[in-house]
Amino acid sequence: MVSEEIRARYKAVIGLEVHAQMLTHSKAYSSDANVYGEAPNTLVSPVSLGHPGSLPVMNKKTIEFAIKLGIACGCDITEKQHFARKNYFYPDLPKGYQITQDKTPICTGGKIIIRDENGEEKEIGLTRIHMEEDAGKSIHDMDIYDTLVDLNRAGVPLLEIVSEPDLSSAQEAYNYLTEVRKLVRYLEICDGNMEEGSLRCDANISVMRVDANAFGTKVEVKNMNSIRNVQRAIDFEINRQIALIETGEPIAQETRAFDALKGVTVSLRTKEAANDYRYFPEPDLPPITVTQEDIAQVKTLMPPLPRALFLKYTNELQLSTYDAYNLTDSKPIALYFEEVLKHTSHVKNAANWIMGEVKSHLNETGTSIERFPIEPIRLAGLINLIASGAISHTSAAQKVFPAMLSEKKDAETIAKALDVLQSNDASLVNEIIDAVLSQHAEEVSRYRAGEKQLLGFLMGQVMRQSGGKIDPKTGNQVLREKLEG
Ligand code: ADP
Ligand code: MG
């Protein structure tokens, strides 16, 4: 670990390359199913196996998915594109090349907005987004002698999202990946599951003196299966590089792997010279043209996006940044909130109920909001009932809400059945308060003699005797009037 003082002399420069497996039904260039977790080598037609003479056929859905992401990030969509072959040998790549896009990525430019260390907005530029295919999977830990290979993943469509080196810390990288994952999930183009490898990240990291004007040598780190591990790997790598420079050692341009158990990066291979993949245009796939009409068509398919909702919640609805983040974190939650708002004007109360009782219930029972038994309209009904003073928040949370989980009835019906409806009926309020005042004549005279703190005690008696059935606000007001009067 380098000291704080030395650390402060350097700044980190980070660019991320994210691979997102697309949620298409079939693979990129064949009709093999695109499913995770099947028995090895069962989703493999001659195309996936790279048999000579087999021909790839473009899955059009992948273009739509890429354009969706491009629109969401404000990228330029490339009109004329072609695929390229990236040639290399590896046992999980039976064709001996990967079909990718080299000179004509489908998207260029654009940005992703993240929060920096201070919670301020920061734009991270995108260099490009291109479509390519996944390789198979080499399995090194199942057989003690041999490496096994599973080609189910070979040919699964990927989007590669390459960022500019605009990230300055491990925390920013964490926030960036969180935003990317949220975005692909909102767009429903990738499930964003890093543990299963459907979202993967290579981190390019370099450090430089704060007063330097050229980037340092970058190191690429792979093999991180969670956003948290990307953050850990980057933190480790920044410290490692600074320590090397401080001792006068050069930084080797290399690829390293993150060892999550030890929390360190280890060298995989050095990049003496740039890899020569001998890219050339893929002769078996026709070039693609994306017209303005195609883009307009995809625009009609765009779902609400997290940033637009965030801006709506903070600006129009006047919710806090914290609430807006919380509610837009997952699309189904945001859509649920949107539905609730169609039936109530008590925005902040609705936000609180969803972030509080609803989310707690989901966490405790391991349910998703899609399966949550209280429909938005019924939750809105409960919120309205509380706001009208007809029930207290306490009896709503403790009695009505739990009952609504199992009974498909509206809040008012349930509150009535549970006998927790409060009364603003003046005669009931008067009757209860008069009874309390005569039972506690001594406290009443002490109150009148100046012991104002006895109000709390008397109010407690009123609420107890009413069995929670009078609105505390009304009760409090009438009690004061009677005491003072
Ligand atoms: P390569 O040719 O090694 O693939 P690229 O220029 O294509 O390198 O960049 C790959 C990734 O590395 C991009 O995300 C880019 O932002 C990032 N990157 C480039 N230079 C640096 C640097 N000096 N430090 C950190 N990241 C960098
Ligand atoms: Mg590159």
Side-chain angles (χ1 to χ4, degrees):
M1 271 304 265
V2 295
S3 70
E4 284 285 318
E5 192 194 340
I6 293 175
R7 177 70 184 79
R9 290 184 210 144
Y10 290 87
K11 59 184 177 190
V13 174
I14 303 152
L16 299 184
E17 293 168 285
V18 173
H19 285 93
Q21 283 184 343
M22 291 192 246
L23 278 176
T24 51
H25 296 298
S26 56
K27 290 187 183 177
Y29 314 110
S30 74
S31 58
D32 292 341
N34 171 17
V35 203
Y36 178 84
E38 291 297 297
N41 299 305
T42 54
L43 310 173
V44 286
S45 62
V47 173
S48 293
L49 296 174
H51 283 189
S54 60
L55 278 176
V57 178
M58 178 79 203
N59 180 344
K60 292 259 164 45
K61 205 75 185 164
T62 60
I63 303 177
E64 178 192 309
F65 282 14
I67 294 175
K68 274 188 172 164
L69 184 58
I71 292 171
C73 298
C75 306
D76 293 321
I77 311 291
T78 309
E79 188 190 352
K80 300 231 180 265
Q81 307 160 42
H82 63 266
F83 286 97
R85 284 189 183 181
K86 178 180 180 178
N87 300 280
Y88 63 95
F89 172 78
Y90 207 73
D92 61 23
L93 188 75
K95 293 201 296 285
Y97 59 86
Q98 180 188 22
I99 300 178
T100 181
Q101 292 190 299
D102 176 34
K103 296 272 188 320
T104 57
I106 184 160
C107 307
T108 56
K111 60 177 188 264
I112 290 192
I113 295 170
I114 66 155
R115 299 268 147 184
D116 69 12
E117 305 259 335
N118 306 317
E120 302 293 327
E121 288 194 342
K122 177 172 175 181
E123 291 186 358
I124 306 303
L126 297 181
T127 316
R128 56 187 280 156
I129 301 171
H130 66 258
M131 300 181 284
E132 59 183 30
E133 61 175 329
D134 215 338
K137 202 170 175 179
S138 299
I139 302 161
H140 306 289
D141 56 3
M142 260 174 74
D143 186 290
I144 49 171
Y145 300 113
D146 298 317
T147 288
L148 306 177
V149 70
D150 174 11
L151 294 174
N152 283 355
R153 204 178 69 177
V156 165
L158 296 176
L159 286 170
E160 178 171 340
I161 309 158
V162 183
S163 88
E164 289 290 296
D166 288 345
L167 297 157
S168 319
S169 68
Q171 180 66 51
E172 284 188 15
Y174 183 99
N175 296 352
Y176 172 85
L177 281 173
T178 305
E179 287 303 322
V180 170
R181 184 175 62 184
K182 203 192 300 181
L183 195 53
V184 297
R185 284 180 172 166
Y186 264 76
L187 292 166
E188 293 175 24
I189 59 177
C190 169
D191 66 23
N193 190 331
M194 285 192 78
E195 289 71 25
E196 289 179 359
S198 32
L199 192 73
R200 307 196 287 271
C201 171
D202 300 336
N204 297 272
I205 304 145
S206 66
V207 298
M208 63 199 276
R209 300 282 298 211
V210 281
D211 53 1
N213 41 32
F215 287 166
T217 304
K218 77 171 153 67
V219 167
E220 186 179 358
V221 184
K222 294 181 175 295
N223 209 23
M224 296 147 304
N225 63 357
S226 69
I227 297 185
R228 173 77 186 114
N229 280 343
V230 173
Q231 185 183 24
R232 289 172 69 209
I234 292 173
D235 264 331
F236 175 86
E237 197 49 34
I238 292 172
N239 280 310
R240 188 187 70 87
Q241 292 182 18
I242 293 175
L244 278 179
I245 296 172
E246 284 289 314
T247 52
E249 303 260 348
I251 306 286
Q253 190 181 344
E254 60 182 348
T255 302
R256 299 176 71 87
F258 182 60
D259 179 334
L261 283 180
K262 298 200 181 106
V264 301
T265 64
V266 288
S267 186
L268 275 182
R269 53 181 178 269
T270 51
K271 282 191 176 174
E272 266 83 42
N275 282 319
D276 184 1
Y277 292 116
R278 291 193 302 109
Y279 285 101
F280 64 83
E282 166 62 60
D284 289 343
L285 286 168
I288 303 166
T289 303
V290 177
T291 63
Q292 287 308 311
E293 291 75 62
D294 294 332
I295 298 172
Q297 167 59 25
V298 177
K299 277 193 177 141
T300 67
L301 307 173
M302 294 294 281
L305 294 178
R307 177 147 180 87
L309 292 177
F310 176 85
L311 292 175
K312 172 179 161 189
Y313 296 170
T314 48
N315 297 338
E316 241 174 80
L317 303 185
Q318 299 281 306
L319 289 173
S320 69
T321 316
Y322 175 87
D323 289 357
Y325 255 118
N326 188 314
L327 292 164
T328 54
D329 185 40
S330 115
K331 180 179 173 186
I333 294 274
L335 295 185
Y336 184 92
F337 178 55
E338 291 283 298
E339 278 307 308
V340 172
L341 291 186
K342 289 185 184 157
H343 307 286
T344 182
S345 56
H346 303 285
V347 175
K348 177 60 182 158
N349 298 353
N352 287 347
W353 271 90
I354 292 171
M355 296 187 298
E357 276 81 358
V358 175
K359 279 200 174 184
S360 304
H361 174 81
L362 299 180
N363 288 339
E364 280 159 20
T365 54
T367 334
S368 64
I369 188 81
E370 289 99 328
R371 300 228 173 118
F372 182 60
I374 305 178
E375 303 80 359
I377 188 167
R378 288 202 299 136
L379 186 73
L382 179 65
I383 291 163
N384 291 337
L385 204 60
I386 303 166
S388 75
I391 51 172
S392 70
H393 182 88
T394 314
S395 44
Q398 291 176 354
K399 297 185 180 152
V400 184
F401 180 79
M404 287 174 82
L405 291 166
S406 47
E407 267 184 282
K408 290 265 169 232
K409 291 181 185 150
D410 67 69
E412 192 164 5
T413 308
I414 289 180
K416 237 179 236 154
L418 292 172
D419 199 21
V420 292
L421 278 181
Q422 294 175 149
S423 170
N424 289 321
D425 165 8
S427 63
L428 178 67
V429 175
N430 278 320
E431 194 182 303
I432 290 170
I433 291 179
D434 288 344
V436 168
L437 294 184
S438 65
Q439 285 156 22
H440 297 281
E442 195 205 315
E443 283 82 2
V444 171
S445 44
R446 278 164 57 200
Y447 175 92
R448 290 189 174 137
E451 279 187 60
K452 299 290 177 202
Q453 72 274 19
L454 281 169
L455 180 70
F457 166 79
L458 292 166
M459 187 59 203
Q461 296 303 314
V462 170
M463 291 316 287
R464 181 176 306 165
Q465 297 209 9
S466 76
K469 283 177 65 184
I470 69 172
D471 173 25
K473 238 186 267 165
T474 318
N476 196 290
Q477 196 186 332
V478 175
L479 178 66
R480 272 171 198 270
E481 280 164 13
K482 286 187 190 276
L483 284 167
E484 304 295 336

